[in-house]
Amino acid sequence: MDSFLSFIANISWWIWVLLALALVAIRDIFFQKKHTISHNFPIVGHIRYMLESIGPEMRQYFVANNREELPFNRIERGWIYASAKKENNYEGFGTDRDVYAHQHIFVKNQMMAYKINDNHPNAKDKTFLPCAKVIGAYNKRKKPFRPASAINVSAMSFGSLSAAAVEAMNIGVLKSGAYHNTGEGGLSPYHKQGGDVVFHFGTGYFGVRSEDGNLSLEKLVTLVENNPCIKAIEIKLSQGAKPGKGGVLPGAKITAELAEIRGVEIGKDVLSPATHKAFSTVPELVDLIEEIAEKTGLPVGIKGAIGKLDQWEELADIMLKTGKGPDFITVDGGEGGTGAAPPSFADHVSLPWVYGFSSLYKLFLEKKLTDRIVFIGSGKLGFPAKAAMAFAMGVDCINVAREAMMSIGCIQAQSCHTNTCPAGIATQNQWLQRGINVPLKSDRLAQYFKSFRKELIEITHASGYEHPCQYTMDDIQVNLDDNELNRSLAFTYGYNKAKVAFNGMQELYDCVHLGGKEYMKNEPKK
Ligand SMILES: Cc1cc2nc3c(=O)[nH]c(=O)nc-3n(C[C@H](O)[C@H](O)[C@H](O)COP(=O)(O)O)c2cc1C
């Protein structure tokens, strides 16, 4: 035995390495049947799989230039990170953008910028930027709501996001006066940290679901009564990344906590169908909106990605005929994010935001309905110049999802669908989410929103306006092709936005329906 052990001990290390490689080669050639490359090129084939798996990180850190990556490039991410940390978010030496590139936009500045006096709300708080319209005012809902921030957190559920991420976002909106859209997963305790909430439901009716998987109005009314933080309700028709696509939440992911919040059974697969059970036609949708508004007193809106317009036109006609309809419409762009979607849907189904929004808005404009609706836009609009463009096209508020995630530490690993998010944001893994420092991250989200609003206000002033709702389609130019070098949005999209009734920032400041009560209490802020 001793002589065998000393024989083993005397074998040099490189013979061990050769032996291990020989075993791998034998496995590659004779035993594994799945990988052709490993079979045909034993051992070296593994190097290819290894390099492929770290390719995205290599390209992100070493290869891609500043403006190359998608969905968000390094400059965009860097601006959000710096703004969220209240660090220097400027750039030196001038733009590195190709300002002659197709679709590049320009905001037209005024000869002399808009001047505010010492008593102006923005003299006290440079970040004060509420929505210029009151949601639910036209339809005389019992509890109308004016968002205290024109920039807000878009629908992302507890389930797609971790508890720590949802909590950080809710405290962040509390600190910045914004609202927090719950997404489809129901109202969790993490959404109840004091921020204004928009309760959102989709075809799964999570949190307000009857035994047979339909919408329970009774549960919805009780939920609203028990949670005064809910300021509005959003019915999801579709989202840009996967319109008309249902989903399955696997039983393995349904913990006791998730089951209770969503109103489903522990450990059992839950289906989110592609279509709603509670309504099948546009008139039925309008009836449901009215019933919810009547029973809860809250403004009710719909969220959709835009493709065909015929049913939207039917909605507009019903609104004209009956005087009823949604209080707000959230238009999501085809470039929008998701926790998980098939690439064929994410890449191709539904129109990108500028095309989708402009065609929908034009339709409502032609029917003279725009003043009855608060338009909300989402789809990579979380940057001040993009937001100015969106306001010029007709939005009243902006929702941001992935930009909000980045403000609390998302590194765009694009692994939301794998439960392995390294930043602990889009995962239910306890270890990964433990890395999130909730008080710090909530400050970051609040600071991102405040920096965003401040910069948007500054751009607005540079254009000679007091509030971005005053932007018109002629204030923004966009590069077209070689024939039409550079044209206004009005020319490009063929309409002029309806004038928003705006009588000065002070009126918004004094509005009794203004949300963000906690934020407003702590004025003044810089
Ligand atoms: C992780 C994640 C979860 C989402 N969950 C929902 C959802 O539950 N309901 C919904 O309507 N949209 C959902 N969305 C879409 C966003 O609300 C938003 O419309 C879209 O990402 C566009 O905004 P963005 O470009 O600022 O990310 C989700 C997006 C992400 C990234």
Side-chain angles (χ1 to χ4, degrees):
M1 186 64 182
D2 281 354
S3 59
F4 176 70
L5 286 179
S6 73
F7 169 72
I8 296 278
N10 283 332
I11 297 177
S12 12
W13 64 269
W14 56 267
I15 295 188
W16 285 116
V17 173
L18 282 182
L19 267 174
L21 290 176
L23 285 175
V24 172
I26 291 167
R27 176 195 160 273
D28 285 351
I29 299 167
F30 299 108
F31 292 103
Q32 71 82 25
K33 301 279 175 221
K34 282 199 296 198
H35 303 291
T36 314
I37 298 292
S38 302
H39 173 274
N40 293 352
F41 303 93
I43 303 170
V44 281
H46 290 274
I47 299 173
R48 184 233 166 244
Y49 291 117
M50 202 253 309
L51 287 178
E52 188 191 31
S53 73
I54 58 167
E57 285 80 5
M58 289 295 169
R59 288 191 292 276
Q60 178 173 0
Y61 292 122
F62 301 115
V63 181
N65 74 36
N66 285 345
R67 298 281 185 183
E68 203 170 59
E69 290 166 282
L70 287 167
F72 298 92
N73 63 47
R74 194 174 294 149
I75 296 277
E76 291 170 327
R77 296 198 307 273
W79 181 81
I80 294 175
Y81 298 144
S83 302
K85 292 178 191 159
K86 218 179 175 186
E87 285 174 355
N88 184 345
N89 62 0
Y90 286 15
E91 70 186 29
F93 208 63
T95 182
D96 62 354
R97 288 285 288 263
D98 175 4
V99 294
Y100 298 100
H102 180 62
Q103 293 252 336
H104 188 76
I105 55 155
F106 312 91
V107 181
K108 287 199 212 161
N109 57 306
Q110 182 57 287
M111 187 176 154
M112 284 179 235
Y114 181 85
K115 200 174 187 174
I116 56 169
N117 61 33
D118 294 346
N119 299 321
H120 191 278
N122 287 133
K124 281 182 271 171
D125 178 1
K126 291 184 167 45
T127 76
F128 178 70
L129 184 60
C131 176
K133 288 185 187 164
V134 176
I135 308 180
Y138 177 85
N139 290 313
K140 300 198 171 47
R141 305 300 186 202
K142 279 181 223 117
K143 300 179 213 163
F145 170 54
R146 185 195 294 279
S149 170
I151 318 295
N152 298 285
V153 175
S154 196
M156 288 180 286
S157 59
F158 166 56
S160 71
L161 297 192
S162 64
V166 174
E167 193 175 350
M169 285 186 184
N170 196 269
I171 302 174
V173 299
L174 174 73
K175 290 174 180 168
S176 57
Y179 65 70
H180 186 180
N181 189 311
T182 58
E184 285 188 79
L187 182 76
S188 72
Y190 314 106
H191 290 106
K192 297 196 238 175
Q193 305 300 313
D196 290 344
V197 166
V198 172
F199 180 74
H200 164 112
F201 65 80
T203 57
Y205 306 115
F206 298 125
V208 288
R209 183 181 163 95
S210 61
E211 295 263 295
D212 63 346
N214 205 333
L215 171 69
S216 162
L217 268 176
E218 216 173 276
K219 283 191 183 165
L220 181 59
V221 171
T222 312
L223 186 87
V224 170
E225 277 169 5
N226 293 340
N227 295 285
C229 59
I230 302 178
K231 304 292 180 195
I233 294 169
E234 183 175 77
I235 304 174
K236 173 179 168 177
L237 303 176
S238 59
Q239 78 182 84
K242 47 174 179 179
K245 171 97 182 75
V248 182
L249 192 62
K253 271 191 151 183
I254 304 190
T255 58
E257 186 185 35
L258 235 112
E260 198 193 322
I261 293 164
R262 293 200 174 205
V264 295
E265 279 182 56
I266 304 174
K268 239 183 150 182
D269 287 2
V270 179
L271 194 72
S272 281
T275 53
H276 275 271
K277 247 189 173 178
F279 55 90
S280 307
T281 63
V282 182
E284 284 172 15
L285 168 65
V286 174
D287 288 346
L288 181 69
I289 291 172
E290 292 301 320
E291 197 177 356
I292 295 176
E294 180 55 34
K295 291 197 165 137
T296 61
L298 293 179
V300 180
I302 51 179
K303 170 173 179 174
I306 311 300
K308 296 185 187 193
L309 285 180
D310 46 345
Q311 288 186 326
W312 289 101
E313 181 153 19
E314 191 183 344
L315 171 66
D317 288 336
I318 293 172
M319 288 174 72
L320 274 180
K321 208 162 119 201
T322 62
K324 298 172 177 170
D327 298 293
F328 65 95
I329 299 179
T330 307
V331 175
D332 201 24
E335 63 273 64
T338 173
S344 51
F345 268 80
D347 295 348
H348 298 290
V349 187
S350 84
L351 299 176
W353 192 81
V354 281
Y355 305 133
F357 182 81
S358 55
S359 41
L360 183 85
Y361 186 89
K362 206 165 16 171
L363 175 79
F364 280 83
L365 185 71
E366 279 159 13
K367 310 257 178 199
K368 300 196 170 44
L369 284 167
T370 50
D371 58 338
R372 287 171 53 171
I373 299 164
V374 172
F375 287 97
I376 302 172
S378 58
K380 294 172 68 173
L381 298 175
F383 305 92
K386 279 271 209 70
M389 174 200 75
F391 273 93
M393 292 177 75
V395 305
D396 302 294
C397 271
I398 279 168
N399 280 353
V400 294
R402 289 164 295 177
E403 299 90 321
M405 290 166 72
M406 285 189 266
S407 75
I408 63 164
C410 163
I411 57 166
Q412 193 168 273
Q414 294 174 271
S415 56
C416 312
H417 59 301
T418 63
N419 207 28
T420 58
C421 169
I425 295 171
T427 177
Q428 295 306 303
N429 179 305
Q430 292 295 330
W431 166 259
L432 293 170
Q433 57 178 302
R434 227 168 275 145
I436 296 184
N437 175 340
V438 172
L440 178 79
K441 298 297 180 181
S442 64
D443 274 345
R444 296 253 169 102
L445 180 117
Q447 194 51 53
Y448 161 57
F449 276 9
K450 289 195 255 178
S451 305
F452 186 160
R453 293 194 308 237
K454 179 169 173 279
E455 207 164 309
L456 178 55
I457 292 167
E458 285 166 353
I459 292 182
T460 305
H461 289 174
S463 299
Y465 296 131
E466 187 181 4
H467 189 288
C469 75
Q470 295 170 292
Y471 270 116
T472 74
M473 296 280 277
D474 290 318
D475 292 318
I476 315 276
Q477 300 270 132
V478 55
N479 284 342
L480 301 177
D481 54 29
D482 288 347
N483 293 331
E484 305 288 355
L485 286 180
N486 183 265
R487 293 291 188 161
S488 68
L489 292 180
F491 174 90
T492 311
Y493 296 107
Y495 70 96
N496 253 308
K497 154 187 155 178
K499 201 164 180 232
V500 176
F502 173 69
N503 299 309
M505 206 65 115
Q506 191 63 47
E507 188 178 284
L508 310 187
Y509 186 86
D510 296 333
C511 174
V512 289
H513 305 302
L514 190 65
K517 297 275 181 264
E518 206 49 43
Y519 169 76
M520 295 306 297
K521 252 197 258 164
N522 299 327
E523 282 227 287
K525 292 159 234 73
K526 287 279 171 245

